[in-house]
Amino acid sequence: MSGLSVNADKCVGCGICVRTCASEGIEVAGRKAHVTDSCISCGMCVDACPVGALSIEKDAGAGADLSAYHDLWVFCEVDDGALAPVALELMAKGRELADARGCRLMGVMGQADATDADANAQALLSSGADGVIRCVDGRLRTNDAELFARWVCDLAETRRPETILYGATDFGRELAPQVAVRLGTGLTADCTVLEMDVEQGLLQQTRPAFGGNLMATIVCPTHRPQMATVRPGVFQANPDAAEKTAACGGATDVSPHGAVEDVALEAGLEPSLRVLGREDATGGDSITSADVLVVVGRGIGSKKNLPLMRELAELLGGRLGCTRPLVEAGWCDYSCQVGQTGVSVAPKLLVSVGVSGAIQHLAGIGGAERVIAVNEDPAAPIFGVADHAVVGDAVEVVGALVERLRARV
Amino acid sequence: MRIVVCMKAVPSTTEVRMDPVTHTIVRDGRQAVVNPFDASGLEVALEIRERLGGHVSALSMGIPDTVRLLRDAISRGADDGLLLSDRAFAGADTLATSYALSRAIARGGMPDLVVCGKMAVDGDTAQIGPELAGALGMSCVTDVREIEHVDEGHITARRRRDGALELVEAALPCVITVAKDAATPRMPSIAGVRRGEAGTVEVLDAEAAGCDPARCGLDGSPTQVVRSFVPERSATAERVEGTSAEQAERIEQIVEGMAL
Ligand SMILES: Cc1cc2nc3c(=O)[nH]c(=O)nc-3n(C[C@H](O)[C@H](O)[C@H](O)COP(=O)(O)OP(=O)(O)OC[C@H]3O[C@@H](n4cnc5c(N)ncnc54)[C@H](O)[C@@H]3O)c2cc1C
Ligand SMILES: Nc1ncnc2c1ncn2[C@@H]1O[C@H](COP(=O)(O)O)[C@@H](O)[C@H]1O
């Protein structure tokens, strides 16, 4: 059977695996480790075992005929006629991966109105797409995940892409799993690094793992397409591409080489949900576009220190972001959460205050040009990514700084 | 109205310490708790049952100890619990997890409503809800903040989607995934605790749940972890020394120098 196995010859019964395990899946009896019914095959103990006595075996499943799959697709979300920025970010990354693999890069785009459909396709082509598969149909207006999933699955079943990337927007995060389950294939959420194994065409999908300060690289060896979602802001769009698009100003002749293919949506398909109303909930612009950000963590001590931190952000002409625990405590809105499962930011200056620098948080600040970190613990991991390390008390340092800045205005 | 609530056991803290000597993860035997979003999901289901009548089942796939959490769900008001537990389920990725859960849900006829948490705090993939919908052929409403209306045929809910709140209507049967503000979990009553102790939690292995072992656990998981590692960090930061006042002065200089 597949699962964790213990090599009794190697095992020295040290018990490190037992301490590593979160599910009581392994125990030591008679100086040897034994797997229990509670093992969830997470592999934590395999990494921890100092003598290499543990391994996870997997029966090589019969997979699809991989050689029948070609091309890398980027699913390109359109909201109210406008291409989502993450589509262009994925195009830039997709171009790199497709070049490494020596395959074509295709944009897959569906939208309700013909207006801007050409400009959107053109934007994808100038961002590096070799072609665009496009569907313009009024039924796509509400970005209904189920309807889109059926459409993408139809396309994928006949054309067999090797890889599909999705932006991890709320819509993308609904769509991608619905495609994955229908195609019976793998999906890795919120990747922060994507690389192509050139020989086998295996997409190496790296993301923070299991809540630990660990990264994991995940592959999908026997199923196709291999699929991943990526949060907006994790990759950079190609800046030249935007210019090119602007220059062509939404020209109508988008397919000089027949690169845009219009496909029809199956007749019987209808949206699964009815959208009855919609109201904006962000209240002002998001922190993703700010040039200066003050990001606060649990080290600010208490909610009553938030106004001081906000004042610092205002004095610096910036905005306030936070770590996940502050959102969970209800101190800040989720839209302010910076990290793997919040937003990715790319300010010119990021002042990080009382933030430990957990891997899930760091996943969201890679784009910051300069980081000043304040933390009382000289060993805090945030200092590993900071340009300026301020070892000190959050409130004292920020208090003194705010006083100085106030004096200047 | 038949409702199934999917509840996952997660570590009571998502924080994990690294052993400074062995560089491995240390967990201090903390007991698993129910994923907080799923606790809200249970409350959503109970409130619907209070209005429309019906039956609420709590479902989990997990290690044998998870029975404890399903009993707790019964003590809060669930009618019964079902635990999928088998080493054959171990190592499941989201596809294999949604497969096993969908088999258990479909057992004994399709429910009207499946309630999941918006995400599991130990993985944050938020994939299981939409995958279940796909596997069961149901529609799906994710990140529900408020249930506006439910009747025998439809559900109307307010969901969050990329910075907006949308009011959507779906035909039942349907999968919803809920955020914490959808409902505040109730505490068990004393009678409830007794009911939890006496209540039935059925435990099924893969075969009894009607699952094809090749589609469960590690074998049924298309994705595989090939490597895990501690990322390297360059420690090239300038140390800003001195008293708080001196440090503040230096920070001011740095900011000034950037000409923002
Ligand atoms: C699946 C998953 C997804 C996640 N996604 C995210 C995400 O998107 N974003 C995110 O931020 N987190 C995320 N997390 C949580 C993440 O792992 C950390 O738990 C979190 O980032 C820690 O927040 P923190 O730094 O504020 O708190 P802590 O880790 O508690 O750190 C507080 C820091 O403050 C310092 N400190 C304490 N007192 C003072 C003082 N008086 N002055 C100065 N410094 C002080 C301490 O030395 C410490 O370094 C996720 C976790 C999981 C499991
Ligand atoms: N093993 C499990 N058992 C029961 N429900 C689960 C399990 N895993 C995930 N879920 C459900 O799916 C939701 C989303 O989980 P995830 O996709 O892992 O973030 C959770 O809030 C649960 O409702």
Side-chain angles (χ1 to χ4, degrees), chain B residues 13 15 20 29 33-34 37 48 53 102 105 118 142 210 212 214 223 225 228 249 260:
Chain B
T13 165
E15 269 158 56
V33 295
V34 69
F37 294 95
I48 294 174
S102 71
I105 291 169
K118 171 190 167 177
T142 58
D212 171 1
T223 61
V225 177
S228 58
E249 187 178 351
L260 289 161

PDB file of all heavy atoms in Angstrom, chain B residues 13 15 20 29 33-34 37 48 53 102 105 118 142 210 212 214 223 225 228 249 260:
ATOM      1  N   THR B  13      -2.954  25.593  16.755  1.00  0.00           N
ATOM      2  CA  THR B  13      -2.255  26.804  16.377  1.00  0.00           C
ATOM      3  C   THR B  13      -1.579  26.522  15.053  1.00  0.00           C
ATOM      4  O   THR B  13      -1.086  25.432  14.816  1.00  0.00           O
ATOM      5  CB  THR B  13      -1.216  27.249  17.411  1.00  0.00           C
ATOM      6  OG1 THR B  13      -0.372  28.213  16.793  1.00  0.00           O
ATOM      7  CG2 THR B  13      -0.393  26.085  17.907  1.00  0.00           C
ATOM      8  N   GLU B  15       0.919  28.056  14.241  1.00  0.00           N
ATOM      9  CA  GLU B  15       2.326  28.391  14.382  1.00  0.00           C
ATOM     10  C   GLU B  15       3.118  27.153  14.720  1.00  0.00           C
ATOM     11  O   GLU B  15       2.708  26.328  15.507  1.00  0.00           O
ATOM     12  CB  GLU B  15       2.516  29.391  15.503  1.00  0.00           C
ATOM     13  CG  GLU B  15       2.447  30.778  14.985  1.00  0.00           C
ATOM     14  CD  GLU B  15       2.092  31.697  16.101  1.00  0.00           C
ATOM     15  OE1 GLU B  15       2.820  31.684  17.093  1.00  0.00           O
ATOM     16  OE2 GLU B  15       1.064  32.368  15.975  1.00  0.00           O
ATOM     17  N   PRO B  20      15.982  24.713  16.888  1.00  0.00           N
ATOM     18  CA  PRO B  20      17.176  25.409  16.397  1.00  0.00           C
ATOM     19  C   PRO B  20      18.334  24.459  16.116  1.00  0.00           C
ATOM     20  O   PRO B  20      19.213  24.774  15.315  1.00  0.00           O
ATOM     21  CB  PRO B  20      17.511  26.383  17.532  1.00  0.00           C
ATOM     22  CG  PRO B  20      16.730  25.942  18.721  1.00  0.00           C
ATOM     23  CD  PRO B  20      15.583  25.109  18.237  1.00  0.00           C
ATOM     24  N   GLY B  29       2.371  18.549  20.613  1.00  0.00           N
ATOM     25  CA  GLY B  29       1.222  17.703  20.907  1.00  0.00           C
ATOM     26  C   GLY B  29      -0.055  18.476  21.193  1.00  0.00           C
ATOM     27  O   GLY B  29      -0.896  18.036  21.960  1.00  0.00           O
ATOM     28  N   VAL B  33      -8.268  21.221  16.689  1.00  0.00           N
ATOM     29  CA  VAL B  33      -9.555  21.878  16.897  1.00  0.00           C
ATOM     30  C   VAL B  33     -10.285  21.890  15.558  1.00  0.00           C
ATOM     31  O   VAL B  33      -9.702  21.575  14.530  1.00  0.00           O
ATOM     32  CB  VAL B  33      -9.389  23.332  17.397  1.00  0.00           C
ATOM     33  CG1 VAL B  33      -8.745  23.364  18.761  1.00  0.00           C
ATOM     34  CG2 VAL B  33      -8.579  24.147  16.395  1.00  0.00           C
ATOM     35  N   VAL B  34     -11.554  22.271  15.601  1.00  0.00           N
ATOM     36  CA  VAL B  34     -12.262  22.335  14.336  1.00  0.00           C
ATOM     37  C   VAL B  34     -11.870  23.645  13.633  1.00  0.00           C
ATOM     38  O   VAL B  34     -11.667  24.677  14.282  1.00  0.00           O
ATOM     39  CB  VAL B  34     -13.780  22.205  14.543  1.00  0.00           C
ATOM     40  CG1 VAL B  34     -14.349  23.420  15.239  1.00  0.00           C
ATOM     41  CG2 VAL B  34     -14.478  21.989  13.219  1.00  0.00           C
ATOM     42  N   PHE B  37     -13.661  28.386  10.413  1.00  0.00           N
ATOM     43  CA  PHE B  37     -14.660  28.697   9.386  1.00  0.00           C
ATOM     44  C   PHE B  37     -15.758  27.625   9.358  1.00  0.00           C
ATOM     45  O   PHE B  37     -16.912  27.917   9.064  1.00  0.00           O
ATOM     46  CB  PHE B  37     -14.018  28.816   8.010  1.00  0.00           C
ATOM     47  CG  PHE B  37     -13.073  29.982   7.905  1.00  0.00           C
ATOM     48  CD1 PHE B  37     -11.718  29.811   8.122  1.00  0.00           C
ATOM     49  CD2 PHE B  37     -13.546  31.249   7.602  1.00  0.00           C
ATOM     50  CE1 PHE B  37     -10.847  30.890   8.036  1.00  0.00           C
ATOM     51  CE2 PHE B  37     -12.693  32.330   7.514  1.00  0.00           C
ATOM     52  CZ  PHE B  37     -11.334  32.147   7.735  1.00  0.00           C
ATOM     53  N   ILE B  48     -30.495  27.577   9.518  1.00  0.00           N
ATOM     54  CA  ILE B  48     -31.410  27.238   8.422  1.00  0.00           C
ATOM     55  C   ILE B  48     -32.385  26.141   8.878  1.00  0.00           C
ATOM     56  O   ILE B  48     -33.587  26.200   8.626  1.00  0.00           O
ATOM     57  CB  ILE B  48     -30.629  26.786   7.169  1.00  0.00           C
ATOM     58  CG1 ILE B  48     -29.827  27.968   6.607  1.00  0.00           C
ATOM     59  CG2 ILE B  48     -31.575  26.226   6.100  1.00  0.00           C
ATOM     60  CD1 ILE B  48     -28.902  27.608   5.458  1.00  0.00           C
ATOM     61  N   GLY B  53     -36.709  23.490   9.227  1.00  0.00           N
ATOM     62  CA  GLY B  53     -36.745  22.081   9.632  1.00  0.00           C
ATOM     63  C   GLY B  53     -35.754  21.290   8.804  1.00  0.00           C
ATOM     64  O   GLY B  53     -35.164  21.810   7.862  1.00  0.00           O
ATOM     65  N   SER B 102     -17.069  13.728  -1.387  1.00  0.00           N
ATOM     66  CA  SER B 102     -18.246  13.712  -2.266  1.00  0.00           C
ATOM     67  C   SER B 102     -18.939  12.344  -2.226  1.00  0.00           C
ATOM     68  O   SER B 102     -20.160  12.258  -2.278  1.00  0.00           O
ATOM     69  CB  SER B 102     -17.870  14.093  -3.704  1.00  0.00           C
ATOM     70  OG  SER B 102     -17.119  13.061  -4.319  1.00  0.00           O
ATOM     71  N   ILE B 105     -20.921  12.320   0.930  1.00  0.00           N
ATOM     72  CA  ILE B 105     -22.085  13.220   0.854  1.00  0.00           C
ATOM     73  C   ILE B 105     -23.201  12.577   0.034  1.00  0.00           C
ATOM     74  O   ILE B 105     -24.382  12.662   0.384  1.00  0.00           O
ATOM     75  CB  ILE B 105     -21.671  14.581   0.240  1.00  0.00           C
ATOM     76  CG1 ILE B 105     -20.761  15.339   1.210  1.00  0.00           C
ATOM     77  CG2 ILE B 105     -22.901  15.425  -0.101  1.00  0.00           C
ATOM     78  CD1 ILE B 105     -20.087  16.557   0.608  1.00  0.00           C
ATOM     79  N   LYS B 118     -14.843  28.658   4.331  1.00  0.00           N
ATOM     80  CA  LYS B 118     -14.245  29.391   3.219  1.00  0.00           C
ATOM     81  C   LYS B 118     -12.865  28.814   2.910  1.00  0.00           C
ATOM     82  O   LYS B 118     -12.444  28.727   1.773  1.00  0.00           O
ATOM     83  CB  LYS B 118     -14.127  30.846   3.660  1.00  0.00           C
ATOM     84  CG  LYS B 118     -13.352  31.726   2.766  1.00  0.00           C
ATOM     85  CD  LYS B 118     -13.109  33.062   3.454  1.00  0.00           C
ATOM     86  CE  LYS B 118     -12.061  33.804   2.662  1.00  0.00           C
ATOM     87  NZ  LYS B 118     -11.790  35.129   3.184  1.00  0.00           N
ATOM     88  N   THR B 142     -19.114  30.855  -3.137  1.00  0.00           N
ATOM     89  CA  THR B 142     -17.995  30.883  -2.195  1.00  0.00           C
ATOM     90  C   THR B 142     -17.964  32.189  -1.403  1.00  0.00           C
ATOM     91  O   THR B 142     -18.515  33.198  -1.828  1.00  0.00           O
ATOM     92  CB  THR B 142     -16.641  30.729  -2.922  1.00  0.00           C
ATOM     93  OG1 THR B 142     -16.512  31.766  -3.884  1.00  0.00           O
ATOM     94  CG2 THR B 142     -16.524  29.381  -3.596  1.00  0.00           C
ATOM     95  N   GLY B 210     -17.738   3.464   0.178  1.00  0.00           N
ATOM     96  CA  GLY B 210     -17.953   3.296  -1.251  1.00  0.00           C
ATOM     97  C   GLY B 210     -16.912   3.999  -2.104  1.00  0.00           C
ATOM     98  O   GLY B 210     -17.193   4.417  -3.228  1.00  0.00           O
ATOM     99  N   ASP B 212     -13.366   4.241  -4.230  1.00  0.00           N
ATOM    100  CA  ASP B 212     -12.389   3.465  -4.974  1.00  0.00           C
ATOM    101  C   ASP B 212     -11.012   3.807  -4.402  1.00  0.00           C
ATOM    102  O   ASP B 212     -10.592   4.961  -4.474  1.00  0.00           O
ATOM    103  CB  ASP B 212     -12.489   3.867  -6.455  1.00  0.00           C
ATOM    104  CG  ASP B 212     -11.361   3.281  -7.290  1.00  0.00           C
ATOM    105  OD1 ASP B 212     -10.520   2.549  -6.739  1.00  0.00           O
ATOM    106  OD2 ASP B 212     -11.328   3.586  -8.493  1.00  0.00           O
ATOM    107  N   ALA B 214      -8.121   3.528  -5.338  1.00  0.00           N
ATOM    108  CA  ALA B 214      -7.164   4.136  -6.270  1.00  0.00           C
ATOM    109  C   ALA B 214      -7.393   5.639  -6.402  1.00  0.00           C
ATOM    110  O   ALA B 214      -6.529   6.363  -6.881  1.00  0.00           O
ATOM    111  CB  ALA B 214      -7.280   3.485  -7.649  1.00  0.00           C
ATOM    112  N   THR B 223      -1.142  15.530  -7.335  1.00  0.00           N
ATOM    113  CA  THR B 223       0.015  16.362  -6.976  1.00  0.00           C
ATOM    114  C   THR B 223       0.871  15.667  -5.927  1.00  0.00           C
ATOM    115  O   THR B 223       0.377  14.874  -5.132  1.00  0.00           O
ATOM    116  CB  THR B 223      -0.409  17.739  -6.423  1.00  0.00           C
ATOM    117  OG1 THR B 223      -1.180  17.553  -5.239  1.00  0.00           O
ATOM    118  CG2 THR B 223      -1.222  18.513  -7.440  1.00  0.00           C
ATOM    119  N   VAL B 225       4.464  16.355  -3.349  1.00  0.00           N
ATOM    120  CA  VAL B 225       5.527  17.231  -2.865  1.00  0.00           C
ATOM    121  C   VAL B 225       6.852  16.558  -3.188  1.00  0.00           C
ATOM    122  O   VAL B 225       7.084  15.424  -2.796  1.00  0.00           O
ATOM    123  CB  VAL B 225       5.411  17.466  -1.350  1.00  0.00           C
ATOM    124  CG1 VAL B 225       6.558  18.322  -0.851  1.00  0.00           C
ATOM    125  CG2 VAL B 225       4.076  18.112  -1.015  1.00  0.00           C
ATOM    126  N   SER B 228      10.923  19.859   0.192  1.00  0.00           N
ATOM    127  CA  SER B 228      10.583  20.987   1.056  1.00  0.00           C
ATOM    128  C   SER B 228      11.875  21.542   1.627  1.00  0.00           C
ATOM    129  O   SER B 228      12.818  20.804   1.864  1.00  0.00           O
ATOM    130  CB  SER B 228       9.594  20.591   2.140  1.00  0.00           C
ATOM    131  OG  SER B 228      10.111  19.555   2.914  1.00  0.00           O
ATOM    132  N   GLU B 249      15.921  58.883  14.343  1.00  0.00           N
ATOM    133  CA  GLU B 249      16.620  59.891  13.537  1.00  0.00           C
ATOM    134  C   GLU B 249      17.196  59.240  12.272  1.00  0.00           C
ATOM    135  O   GLU B 249      17.077  59.772  11.170  1.00  0.00           O
ATOM    136  CB  GLU B 249      17.739  60.517  14.377  1.00  0.00           C
ATOM    137  CG  GLU B 249      18.395  61.690  13.690  1.00  0.00           C
ATOM    138  CD  GLU B 249      19.480  62.326  14.560  1.00  0.00           C
ATOM    139  OE1 GLU B 249      19.605  61.955  15.750  1.00  0.00           O
ATOM    140  OE2 GLU B 249      20.205  63.176  14.027  1.00  0.00           O
ATOM    141  N   LEU B 260      11.016  60.310  -1.753  1.00  0.00           N
ATOM    142  CA  LEU B 260       9.747  59.700  -2.198  1.00  0.00           C
ATOM    143  C   LEU B 260       8.775  60.748  -2.732  1.00  0.00           C
ATOM    144  O   LEU B 260       8.700  61.830  -2.216  1.00  0.00           O
ATOM    145  CB  LEU B 260       9.101  58.959  -1.023  1.00  0.00           C
ATOM    146  CG  LEU B 260       9.834  57.691  -0.626  1.00  0.00           C
ATOM    147  CD1 LEU B 260       9.459  57.259   0.770  1.00  0.00           C
ATOM    148  CD2 LEU B 260       9.536  56.554  -1.608  1.00  0.00           C
TER     149      LEU B 260
END
